[in-house]
Amino acid sequence: MTFIDNIATNPNPYVRGYWTEVAKPGEKIAVDPSTMPHALLSNPDGTFTFKELDWPQRQCGDLVTVPIPSWIGKTIDDIMFMRRRFGWCAGTSIAMGRGGGDYFNVWPQKAAQVVPTDPIDINEENPLTAGGFHSIVPFKQDAVAFTKHGQFRLSSLDISLSPNTIDIRPVSAYNSSDKCRPLPVGDNTYFPTETDAWTQFSEFQYAPNQAVGSAQGLTDHVQAYIPSEVFRTVGSAETRGMFVLS
């Protein structure tokens, strides 16, 4: 805490100032923007600018009351937007910046109180997350996070999304390739599974009121058609088509 003296601007002679939270001096209070997601901006002249984003520093607490986020030191493998929050997965962690449009602030507003707009930080460790999350994609009002061994639904227990309402749970245990991001198209998401020489694709789906998801094989009838090492897919709900690069 620190005291802000505003006696010179405060007309009330009985109020000299106020106390406010500050970060403990001498501790790390910032992330390295060079290691965080960057922005690709479109310029009026038709060119593009690739630049670092501004990631605000920690403004309160110490490393006990405001610990270092669980994803620090891990590789960020994928990013997404969910309910007006910017999120990413790194190792076994899934995180989102502050709500309310403060997308790139990864620190809580107060040290002793959880605010609904505070960042979200989940470290999910179980057998299905061995090797970490490799992809996280929006799915209807929720998101689905993929590991090599299964799928996890990321949702909210309330209309609003906050650290107290976030919910993550495994919904299926289908193997998926970590070399290609799953492709959401319409109400379904398509993901690849690698064999020694070929790639198989499955269609993942689940209903919000169901506890488990299901996947239907799309290439079971042509298992030796798509080569292995698929690294990108694009698709269209209107044409009901999907293109694959390997």
Side-chain angles (χ1 to χ4, degrees):
M1 301 287 289
T2 189
F3 187 77
I4 305 298
D5 189 340
N6 66 347
I7 191 173
T9 58
N10 192 337
N12 188 340
Y14 299 101
V15 180
R16 180 180 179 89
Y18 58 92
W19 290 94
T20 187
E21 291 187 79
V22 295
K24 181 179 179 179
E27 293 185 342
K28 292 183 178 181
I29 59 174
V31 298
D32 183 354
S34 67
T35 65
M36 297 296 290
H38 286 43
L40 183 63
L41 305 178
S42 176
N43 302 316
D45 60 359
T47 61
F48 292 88
T49 300
F50 188 66
K51 59 175 290 187
E52 294 180 357
L53 294 165
D54 294 326
W55 298 84
Q57 297 181 347
R58 174 164 61 87
Q59 299 295 323
C60 64
D62 55 25
L63 295 181
V64 175
T65 58
V66 183
I68 296 293
S70 68
W71 47 270
I72 293 292
K74 303 176 182 178
T75 299
I76 295 177
D77 289 296
D78 200 8
I79 60 176
M80 61 99 187
F81 274 94
M82 176 181 173
R83 300 195 187 188
R84 298 190 69 243
R85 283 182 184 258
F86 177 63
W88 55 93
C89 61
T92 56
S93 297
I94 294 177
M96 299 184 195
R98 280 191 192 178
D102 197 4
Y103 301 120
F104 312 119
N105 196 328
V106 301
W107 306 104
Q109 185 175 336
K110 298 179 180 295
Q113 177 184 354
V114 177
V115 179
T117 56
D118 274 352
I120 293 171
D121 185 5
I122 302 170
N123 188 29
E124 184 74 10
E125 294 185 351
N126 68 51
L128 288 180
T129 60
F133 296 101
H134 61 73
S135 303
I136 182 168
V137 296
F139 193 82
K140 301 178 181 179
Q141 293 295 317
D142 302 333
V144 178
F146 285 76
T147 71
K148 287 184 177 181
H149 314 289
Q151 292 73 41
F152 289 74
R153 181 181 68 183
L154 197 66
S155 61
S156 177
L157 299 175
D158 197 359
I159 296 176
S160 61
L161 179 62
S162 73
N164 289 330
T165 65
I166 190 70
D167 181 61
I168 183 171
R169 62 187 62 193
V171 292
S172 54
Y174 299 102
N175 293 335
S176 65
S177 171
D178 61 351
K179 301 173 184 176
C180 178
R181 188 176 192 259
L183 176 68
V185 178
D187 291 334
N188 301 314
T189 296
Y190 302 94
F191 66 92
T193 301
E194 295 281 347
T195 61
D196 291 338
W198 307 101
T199 299
Q200 313 300 322
F201 270 87
S202 299
E203 179 184 56
F204 176 81
Q205 53 187 323
Y206 80 87
N209 59 346
Q210 294 180 342
V212 297
S214 61
Q216 178 180 357
L218 296 180
T219 54
D220 291 348
H221 60 296
V222 284
Q223 296 186 15
Y225 178 64
I226 303 176
S228 61
E229 303 295 328
V230 168
F231 61 89
R232 187 181 180 188
T233 58
V234 293
S236 169
E238 289 75 17
T239 62
R240 304 183 65 182
M242 180 171 62
F243 296 89
V244 176
L245 296 177
S246 66

